[in-house]
Amino acid sequence: MKNQLTLDGRRLSNFIDGTLCIVKYHYSSNPCLNVHQNMLSRYLKLLRCNGYLSYSYRLPKSSLYHQVQHNLFLLDMQQDSNHREQLAEDPVSGSSIQENHSEQVSDPWAVSRREATRAFLGLFLVTSLGIVLHRSKLLRRFSFVAVFGHLRNRIPTDKESLWYFTCNVQRAYRLLHISTLRWINVEEPPPMLDNKLLVAFLWRSSDISNPDYIRVLQRVSILYPQVAIVAIHTPKFDYEIDSHFVRIALENLDMNFPCALDSDWRIWKSIGAKDWPTILVLDPTYHILFAIPKNKLHFLEDCIKTSLHSFSEYPFLKGAIAKTTKFSLDPIERASPLCSPGKIALDLKNGRLFIADSGHHRILIVTLEGQFLDQIGGLRVEDDFLLSERESMGWKDGSFEETRFCNPQGMVYNEEYDELVIADTWNDAIRIAHLKQRQVRTTVLHSKSIGVLSFSGLSERTFRYPMDVAVYENTIFTVAAGSNEIWSLNPSGEVKLICGNGSYPSGHVDAEGDLSRARLAAPSGITVSPDGTLYIVDSDSSIVRWLSLTKNQVGTLVGGDAIFTGNLSAFGDRNGVSSSVRLQRPMGICYMDDNQLIITDTFNHKLKCIHTIQRDCRWICGDSQLGYVDGPKKYAKFHCPCDVAWDPISQRLYIVDQENHVIRWMDWNNNGTVSTLHLFGFPTWWFY
């Protein structure tokens, strides 16, 4: 009966006897011999179960052994599912082989290996998809043009190389699609710019260094009338895609160049740009002569001179290419005495609230109920003569009436000396207002624009754009957003760099020991806990950091990319713990109590609370849709809240609602009801 058992139409006895003949035929032609060892094991088990082979019989592990595997594999590939059922069934009794014999036929190792391979491939695909989705904010600006370095090849290295760039203009990349962009501050799209040497300013409205570039470009437009300057706005954050926010930035920066929107990153990806801001110098045929990144700004005028000399025979036209228009104020801004307020500070002992009226370049002092007390700097009406806004900004010490600021931002009240410490951002200065004497003096100043370098022997340091200040044990701490640094000023007048290095680009790098190795990204807010720990909001990376001077360590509290720490586009709107949290350009921060921080998630238009021990972040109030709505915190709406201050006595949280041009407050005892602080009691000379 054994001789009747068949395998694919062959008798097994004949199959075993003729193995040598079959194997010899396939011996030299097939290289995939070692793959089929499991198939041979299966058939040997089948033969043993039916009595054709003894259990002690083993084939020698030689080349013949592997050829038998290959031969059996070929036979197995020819049979279909019905043949396999016939193979597993006894032809006499019709019963299953597994019913008659206890030994299993399947090979468990082969199954586990296949399952492991499938699981690994599935995990790899899911992980890859997760990484792509998790970093979609960064990848949406990615282009293969940046990989090949078309724009990198047009960055000048020294003045001697400038002429070489103009001689090889035909090898340069050409800027396309510029005529198809949407222009927002001109009455009609500018005509084709074939008769101009074009300078394109690629910028974003949230970049803290914009005033430096605008100042240089305005100088270029005056000195070189053959040059046409256009601004192309390319967003980083989601909120910057809104054209209304771009218009606000144009007004605040007083930019009078034609501005276009590159909201879909068409221009950005076509040239392979990587960072903001970038200035492009183009010839009349739109070939990129020079690409000037933010650390090469000093090359701009030399590049323009070289380009004009190279195209000296070209008939350039002089004059403006298009007339820009001013945007009218919205009704809320007309009704409010404030203009884009920046930061606030509290004097709990005397019941005073200090408001940085940044758009009007002044500081207002009011009561906690909103009654006007005093003003430092800014606009005034005197003898029926109205000072212009341009005349009211600047740098000048003296009395409250004589003092001039330039976009003041962060403040902190020092109760021991009864003085207000002010971060005068665009003047690159720390100012101190003595409230009893009504005098303002400058303690730290580093600004080439006004010709003064007074930095206690540290003039080689950068210290650009201080955004906020904090005081602990009479030591002043300030964050310099333009140079990505943290500085301290002790009572003896010593200025010290405690974290970061201005020569490094922005980034997200924690450090321990040598804090100069830490990298920040436009730190815009700072507060201090009772134990002396500093908490900083890194606006450009949407991260909250902590700094311990006792441990000499900088760490990350919430936010950021845990895998690729150099990814500064890990932003969004998500609560959670540690690195799972997503914020969108937070600007303000204050210490509440019980190890809790309140931050303003500015571009998400929300307020959030962070527990410093558990490192969890949760929503307090606000909505992702911007607006101006008072009431219960569930329905309250803000428009770019940029700072907060906590009053533990009255359990009030004061909020700067920047683009609504008002100060709001939340009643913590009344289920978080949000109200507007109405300012009143202004004198007759007061102007807004």
Side-chain angles (χ1 to χ4, degrees), residues 557-600:
L557 189 64
V558 297
D561 194 329
I563 301 177
F564 303 102
T565 57
N567 177 19
L568 300 185
S569 296
F571 61 87
D573 185 8
R574 185 172 67 212
N575 300 329
V577 179
S578 187
S579 61
S580 65
V581 176
R582 287 293 174 266
L583 309 170
Q584 187 175 184
R585 199 173 183 255
M587 294 287 292
I589 186 171
C590 74
Y591 185 86
M592 190 175 174
D593 50 26
D594 299 330
N595 299 315
Q596 294 186 95
L597 300 172
I598 306 296
I599 65 169
T600 58

Side-chain angles (χ1 to χ4, degrees), residues 58-122:
R58 295 290 186 273
L59 286 176
K61 293 188 176 181
S62 61
S63 60
L64 176 62
Y65 173 80
H66 297 295
Q67 297 302 325
V68 172
Q69 294 182 61
H70 179 61
N71 179 62
L72 294 176
F73 175 75
L74 293 177
L75 295 176
D76 184 72
M77 293 296 294
Q78 295 175 2
Q79 60 187 2
D80 55 13
S81 59
N82 294 330
H83 291 160
R84 285 194 289 270
E85 292 178 1
Q86 295 175 4
L87 181 65
E89 185 177 349
D90 191 338
V92 177
S93 62
S95 61
S96 174
I97 295 177
Q98 294 182 357
E99 295 178 359
N100 298 330
H101 302 277
S102 59
E103 185 174 356
Q104 298 294 326
V105 178
S106 61
D107 184 2
W109 166 246
V111 174
S112 62
R113 186 172 60 182
R114 287 194 299 269
E115 291 178 349
T117 303
R118 293 170 183 169
F120 174 77
L121 292 177

Side-chain angles (χ1 to χ4, degrees), residues 600-611:
T600 58
D601 195 359
T602 303
F603 280 1
N604 285 326
H605 317 292
K606 295 180 180 181
L607 304 181
K608 295 183 178 180
C609 180
I610 300 175
H611 197 282

Side-chain angles (χ1 to χ4, degrees), residues 598-671:
I598 306 296
I599 65 169
T600 58
D601 195 359
T602 303
F603 280 1
N604 285 326
H605 317 292
K606 295 180 180 181
L607 304 181
K608 295 183 178 180
C609 180
I610 300 175
H611 197 282
T612 60
I613 305 300
Q614 301 174 359
R615 299 175 63 188
D616 69 320
C617 179
R618 60 185 183 275
W619 169 88
I620 295 179
C621 69
D623 191 87
S624 57
Q625 296 296 324
L626 60 90
Y628 182 17
V629 178
D630 287 337
K633 64 179 183 180
K634 182 179 179 180
Y635 304 104
K637 291 186 177 182
F638 303 92
H639 189 181
C640 290
C642 62
D643 198 21
V644 285
W646 170 247
D647 182 1
I649 300 175
S650 62
Q651 295 288 296
R652 281 187 176 185
L653 183 67
Y654 290 89
I655 309 153
V656 179
D657 197 355
Q658 186 175 57
E659 298 308 330
N660 283 327
H661 313 284
V662 294
I663 305 298
R664 317 275 288 275
W665 60 275
M666 174 188 289
D667 190 351
W668 209 263
N669 294 324
N670 190 19
N671 296 324

